[in-house]
Amino acid sequence: MSNIIFISGTPCTGKTTVSEVLSKKLNYDLIKINDLAIDNNLVLGIDDDKGYKIIDVDALNNLLCEIISQKDNLIVEGHLSHLCFGADKLIILRCRPEILQERLALRNYSDAKIHENLEAEAIGVCSAEGLELYHDNIFEIDVSDLSVDEIVLTLIGVIDGEKELSFGEIDFMDWLLVHQ
């Protein structure tokens, strides 16, 4: 049985760190979806207003599906993964906006980009977008107060079918009320 796991979430929720540790512990291949897009010339341009790369998601999805067809155990990590097909399980890492704000600031994000990402996290954009494709195979985990090891152990339990994560119970909307 194959296990194709996608890990997505707002920037700075811990996707890369968690995925790297998880892939080593499980001995799964790891694809960093942003690198896959860049390495395969799937960048269409740069958004003039926000400064981020515009990715050809359809072409990325086709390439990823091709790769997945040749793999048994794979973790696909990155902010765009929830927009692609092929996962057995989609896991969205969520983080309280006040913690996320500190992490984004440490990466020198602009104030506008920080606010945009905090709003996206508060309303659960990645979760909502992922739900469209994954219905019953989407899970959320609040990583706010967890160590990387705790997150990885939880995800191993989910992947092995020994632990369940919910969907739709993480609510950071109160942040919006205070910060609008």
Side-chain angles (χ1 to χ4, degrees):
M1 181 177 141
S2 71
N3 267 322
I4 309 298
I5 309 300
F6 287 7
I7 298 178
S8 189
T10 304
C12 291
T13 54
K15 299 176 299 294
T16 301
T17 303
V18 166
S19 296
E20 288 173 349
V21 173
L22 184 63
S23 70
K24 285 179 184 163
K25 281 202 184 276
L26 294 175
N27 198 27
Y28 281 22
D29 290 334
L30 174 63
I31 291 177
K32 296 180 180 185
I33 204 161
N34 294 342
D35 293 346
L36 184 67
I38 292 166
D39 292 347
N40 287 278
N41 299 314
L42 301 178
V43 178
L44 300 173
I46 304 293
D47 182 281
D48 291 334
D49 294 330
K50 298 181 181 173
Y52 59 76
K53 293 175 183 71
I54 301 168
I55 305 295
D56 184 340
V57 176
D58 290 334
L60 178 62
N61 193 29
N62 290 337
L63 177 60
L64 189 56
C65 286
E66 198 175 301
I67 293 168
I68 288 170
S69 72
Q70 301 168 21
K71 300 283 184 182
D72 286 327
N73 296 309
L74 177 66
I75 294 171
V76 177
E77 171 272 324
H79 179 67
L80 297 173
S81 64
H82 66 275
L83 301 174
C84 295
F85 296 103
D88 295 312
K89 292 183 172 99
L90 169 62
I91 299 168
I92 308 291
L93 304 186
R94 303 286 311 272
C95 185
R96 284 195 315 273
E98 55 272 13
I99 293 172
L100 199 58
Q101 184 172 11
E102 293 173 19
R103 294 177 182 179
L104 291 163
L106 286 173
R107 284 203 189 164
N108 296 317
Y109 278 46
S110 69
D111 288 344
K113 187 102 173 141
I114 289 172
H115 191 73
E116 176 186 355
N117 281 295
L118 295 177
E119 282 185 346
E121 182 63 14
I123 63 175
V125 169
C126 293
S127 298
E129 290 174 345
L131 185 61
E132 291 180 32
L133 292 179
Y134 287 100
H135 312 289
D136 295 331
N137 295 318
I138 182 172
F139 308 92
E140 294 177 305
I141 179 170
D142 182 349
V143 299
S144 302
D145 299 317
L146 301 176
S147 69
V148 171
D149 288 338
E150 289 171 319
I151 298 164
V152 167
L153 285 174
T154 299
L155 296 186
I156 289 171
V158 170
I159 292 165
D160 289 344
E162 298 168 0
K163 183 163 183 65
E164 290 191 26
L165 287 176
S166 62
F167 178 81
E169 294 180 13
I170 298 172
D171 182 2
F172 299 134
M173 293 293 285
D174 58 337
W175 180 89
L176 280 176
L177 298 174
V178 175
H179 294 89
Q180 287 301 314

